[in-house]
Amino acid sequence: MTGGSADVLDQVSALLKRVGLDATDLSLDQVAHSRWLTRGIWRVSISGVPMVLKYLSVERDLGETMWHAHWSAGSGAPRHWNYWAREGLAYLEGITNAYAGSGLGSANAASVDLTERDCVLLLEFVDGVPAERWHMADYVPAAEALGRAQGSYLVDRPIPGHPWLSGGFLRDYSREKPADWSLLSDDRAWDQPVVKRNFPAKLRPAATWLHESRDRLYGIMDRLPRTLCHLDFWTKNLIRRPDGEIALLDWAFVGDGAIGEDAGNLVPDAVLDHFVPAQKLPEFETAVLDGYLNGLRQAGWAGDARLVQLGMWAAAVKYDWQTPMMLEAAQATRQYRYGGTEEIDADHRFQERGLALLHNANTARRAVALADAIGIGP
């Protein structure tokens, strides 16, 4: 056995035994993930066959900070956004196949062992091109597939009624972030050198407006047509297989959501984590919107296209907390990419995020204006 400490190898071997595999010929690499959401993810090779092992547990690492701990708070409630067992249940109950036939699938499960306290997921290692290596145009087929998948639920297909599917995700996820909101009005926070050099001057009033308007934006999303949403639809969870199908990973948040909500998550998230340049945001947003709407039409949805725009734009409220978080992070001596292991130039990070956060706040403004224009009230 190779690829980790003796303790890790022993842990992984024990988990594999639970799904009936002998790990005598085992090598492994840890996959970057939030350890506060998931106990462990490893890419394993057993007798030369690559697979992914995922370990979920009701017992999670609480970490050292409020930001760490908030990922675990409420995880015992089946409808809560971070319910610990949801992905295991999604595989067992077939929810991961809910988008089949649309061009959007999932990683196939080799085995699932779910108990009252934990879950071992053994998944295929998806062979293909991960979205972090895509060009911007490559996102369009994924957006179209998402539209086809979700359009069927908007037309005549009932949304599954499992009691463990998430509900109220957008509101709860964003509200539970332990951001220091006082930083939005703190001159010292905005005068930090890396902030002052890189954040656009218009971001401060825009971020303040976004925070003050979030109840209006939640209300807009609540009034839009509902569909089955993945709710973590972003670059790191997308892989294009050799046959063109898109494998969608990590179903831990799946549940009720609004039309356009997943597409509206993809756009800012891809930029905030530096997979798409911030200067490309308007072009990227248009491409994803057009692709998603085309997919909805292909599925037979004939509703008002403005509702799709509204769902994508109002979903910007999800990242309300990012501005105060970045103001707090400006105090750190080092800045890191997604996953917290690879260092990134501080000026580049703050410049890109500043532009993305300003665009995000302005997108929310467009949502409120459009909702007023078409009569969707508070």
Side-chain angles (χ1 to χ4, degrees):
M1 296 190 292
T2 61
S5 69
D7 288 345
V8 171
L9 288 167
D10 288 345
Q11 178 190 13
V12 170
S13 296
L15 294 174
L16 290 171
K17 285 180 181 178
R18 286 179 50 178
V19 292
L21 289 179
D22 181 358
T24 52
D25 185 12
L26 167 70
S27 63
L28 62 88
D29 294 296
Q30 188 161 17
V31 176
H33 66 284
S34 169
R35 70 177 186 270
W36 307 291
L37 271 175
T38 308
R39 286 287 296 273
I41 307 177
W42 301 271
R43 184 170 57 250
V44 300
S45 177
I46 304 167
S47 300
V49 178
M51 304 190 82
V52 173
L53 180 68
K54 196 166 187 177
Y55 182 48
L56 317 175
S57 175
V58 70
E59 297 174 0
R60 297 182 178 185
D61 183 354
L62 297 179
E64 301 83 35
T65 71
M66 290 189 300
W67 283 100
H68 297 162
H70 96 279
W71 292 107
S72 299
S75 62
R79 295 284 284 175
H80 196 259
W81 63 269
N82 65 356
Y83 178 48
W84 74 270
R86 185 174 294 118
E87 186 170 24
L89 289 164
Y91 271 101
L92 287 172
E93 298 291 343
I95 291 297
T96 53
N97 295 321
Y99 294 163
S102 68
L104 197 61
S106 64
N108 297 316
S111 188
V112 182
D113 181 39
L114 177 65
T115 75
E116 292 183 355
R117 304 293 298 176
D118 66 0
C119 179
V120 180
L121 278 172
L122 186 64
L123 308 173
E124 69 162 321
F125 176 77
V126 178
D127 179 28
V129 181
E132 53 208 281
R133 300 211 309 263
W134 291 359
H135 299 294
M136 196 166 65
D138 295 327
Y139 285 90
V140 175
E144 288 181 348
L146 179 66
R148 287 191 295 270
Q150 296 185 343
S152 63
Y153 291 101
L154 292 161
V155 176
D156 56 10
R157 189 178 178 187
I159 298 174
H162 300 295
W164 46 264
L165 291 171
S166 64
F169 172 86
L170 182 67
R171 187 185 305 265
D172 293 341
Y173 176 91
S174 56
R175 277 193 178 278
E176 290 180 15
K177 298 296 179 188
D180 182 355
W181 297 107
S182 69
L183 294 176
L184 291 178
S185 58
D186 187 338
D187 291 341
R188 292 170 301 178
W190 291 93
D191 284 342
Q192 295 177 96
V194 72
V195 173
K196 200 166 186 177
R197 284 196 305 269
N198 296 293
F199 273 8
K202 294 181 180 179
L203 177 56
R204 183 172 180 175
T208 301
W209 175 89
L210 175 59
H211 184 59
E212 292 172 347
S213 303
R214 63 181 183 171
D215 284 333
R216 174 75 170 108
L217 292 158
Y218 294 141
I220 291 169
M221 293 297 281
D222 288 344
R223 288 165 175 77
L224 290 176
R226 315 310 293 172
T227 187
L228 180 70
C229 284
H230 179 269
L231 298 171
D232 200 11
F233 194 87
W234 77 296
T235 303
K236 292 289 285 186
N237 286 336
L238 300 169
I239 301 174
R240 186 178 65 247
R241 295 181 185 272
D243 64 2
E245 183 183 69
I246 309 297
L248 180 54
L249 312 179
D250 197 351
W251 292 74
F253 297 158
V254 62
D256 168 76
I259 188 173
E261 186 168 342
D262 275 340
N265 179 80
L266 173 63
V267 173
D269 225 354
V271 177
L272 288 167
D273 284 308
H274 311 292
F275 296 113
V276 174
Q279 65 180 0
K280 297 285 189 180
L281 253 171
E283 181 184 350
F284 185 44
E285 180 185 279
T286 298
V288 171
L289 170 62
D290 290 347
Y292 181 66
L293 181 57
N294 286 340
L296 291 171
R297 297 302 191 211
Q298 292 165 23
W301 185 77
D304 188 341
R306 293 177 298 176
L307 297 178
V308 182
Q309 289 180 310
L310 197 52
M312 284 188 63
W313 293 348
V317 71
K318 180 182 179 183
Y319 296 104
D320 176 30
W321 52 275
Q322 279 267 353
T323 302
M325 185 202 71
M326 290 302 294
L327 291 172
E328 186 176 347
Q331 303 170 38
T333 55
R334 294 181 177 179
Q335 301 293 326
Y336 293 92
R337 293 184 182 274
Y338 171 81
T341 57
E342 184 182 349
E343 194 168 348
I344 186 172
D345 177 75
D347 284 305
H348 177 70
R349 184 182 191 218
F350 275 77
Q351 184 177 64
E352 287 289 292
R353 285 216 169 178
L355 291 171
L357 291 170
L358 178 58
H359 181 88
N360 194 63
N362 288 337
T363 296
R365 284 188 186 273
R366 286 185 285 160
V368 171
L370 180 56
D372 290 343
I374 63 180
I376 294 183

